[in-house]
Amino acid sequence: MARPSNRRPGYSRRAQYGLFFGYVAAVSGAVVALLLLILSTVDPNGFGALRGAVSDATLPVTSAGRWVVEGVMDTGGSVGSYINATGKVRTLEAQQKASATKLIEARALAFENMRLKRLLGISEQGLRPVAAGRLVGSTGSSIRRYAILNAGYLNGVRGGMPVRGPGGLIGRIASAGAASARVALITDGGTVVPVRRVPDGTPAIATGTGDGFIDIRALGAENATFKRGDVFVTSGAGGVYPPNVPVAIIAKATRETFLALPVADPARLDFAIVEPVYQPQVEEQRRALPPPPGQ
């Protein structure tokens, strides 16, 4: 036969003991509370001594609990300090990156100013430039080497005019459109420039090879030899290119060939100026004229 599910506590001896001890505890607590109340009324001093004894007895437990609370608070403070320190470190790192970026921008601006000053110095020392523009593109197909300049015949640019940068000669205008022009670089296979070696003035011809180099060949001197590091500038012979413009530096020298690299690498340039075609007779006449009044 199954046991009923709604058994009363009286059926369990354990439950009876539990109720009994519960009643005893409740009655004992009430009696103790009543005695303490009576003691505090009749003998306040005795009640104070008893309360002090109870405090002394519970001191270790209270101290332990306080230590736990302080430990938790210290841990929370440490965690907060760590979070704050991490935030400050991240802020300092961000400030450092921002400072590094500004430093790079300042250096880039200084380099740009220096380069523009060099370009301005060229225009002041040489012929008055026809136009200044930016090299916006280049081609490297076959042996033809061209660059695109964002200045055209509306700016006065015409075919055949020399183009130079801050470092030296870049090339020559091959064709000009309304707002752009195609520049045949000095490394182009069809570009020939009369040059001379610095400082002895040995004449030579610089011809583009189409692969980034310039072939230097002595002119009118069979026994003339060049060595690595020799610098060549335009000679001005035949016109077109004004004299004393840096052109190339010998990079590879053999018994038969002398290969040079351009002083002004078009791949590293962005700005260039276009100058009028150099005419030796006109230039000599201009220099022979007396300076204008006030100069």
Side-chain angles (χ1 to χ4, degrees):
M1 179 177 182
R3 296 181 179 180
S5 59
N6 57 349
R7 296 179 59 191
R8 293 181 301 173
Y11 287 100
S12 174
R13 189 174 298 274
R14 182 178 299 177
Q16 292 177 359
Y17 287 154
L19 289 175
F20 174 74
F21 286 117
Y23 293 148
V24 171
V27 173
S28 299
V31 172
V32 171
L34 180 61
L35 291 176
L36 291 175
L37 179 61
I38 295 172
L39 180 61
S40 63
T41 304
V42 177
D43 188 5
N45 294 330
F47 180 74
L50 179 61
R51 186 170 57 185
V54 173
S55 298
D56 293 339
T58 58
L59 179 62
V61 178
T62 305
S63 300
R66 184 175 182 81
W67 179 82
V68 172
V69 173
E70 290 179 351
V72 172
M73 294 179 64
D74 291 341
T75 301
S78 300
V79 173
S81 300
Y82 175 77
I83 294 174
N84 292 334
T86 303
K88 291 180 179 179
V89 168
R90 290 178 179 175
T91 302
L92 292 175
E93 289 178 351
Q95 293 177 352
Q96 184 179 5
K97 290 181 179 179
S99 300
T101 302
K102 291 181 179 179
L103 179 60
I104 294 174
E105 292 176 351
R107 290 179 177 175
L109 182 61
F111 176 77
E112 181 72 8
N113 291 336
M114 180 180 66
R115 189 177 58 78
L116 292 177
K117 287 181 180 179
R118 290 176 60 191
L119 189 62
L120 181 61
I122 288 176
S123 63
E124 290 177 348
Q125 296 174 7
L127 299 174
R128 185 173 182 178
V130 174
R134 184 185 294 272
L135 297 173
V136 296
S138 61
T139 60
S141 61
S142 184
I143 61 173
R144 311 303 296 178
R145 301 286 174 170
Y146 293 102
I148 305 301
L149 184 72
N150 66 345
Y153 65 76
L154 293 179
N155 307 102
V157 178
R158 299 292 184 270
M161 290 183 173
V163 181
R164 61 189 295 186
L169 186 66
I170 295 176
R172 183 179 180 183
I173 297 295
S175 60
S180 64
R182 191 170 61 162
V183 181
L185 303 177
I186 56 176
T187 56
D188 178 70
T191 302
V192 179
V193 182
V195 296
R196 61 181 178 85
R197 183 171 61 178
V198 177
D200 61 2
T202 302
I205 293 295
T207 306
T209 61
D211 57 358
F213 287 94
I214 300 172
D215 182 30
I216 306 293
R217 295 185 180 272
L219 183 64
E222 296 179 358
N223 298 326
T225 59
F226 304 130
K227 64 181 184 298
R228 183 177 180 183
D230 285 350
V231 179
F232 291 84
V233 298
T234 54
S235 63
V240 182
Y241 301 101
N244 302 320
V245 179
V247 177
I249 301 176
I250 296 291
K252 298 179 181 180
T254 65
R255 292 183 178 181
E256 298 180 355
T257 60
F258 304 96
L259 295 180
L261 290 174
V263 175
D265 186 0
R268 299 182 179 180
L269 297 176
D270 50 359
F271 284 99
I273 61 174
V274 180
E275 293 183 341
V277 174
Y278 176 70
Q279 300 177 8
Q281 297 82 4
V282 175
E283 184 63 19
E284 291 176 359
Q285 293 175 4
R286 187 183 68 83
R287 292 181 180 178
L289 294 176
Q295 292 188 1

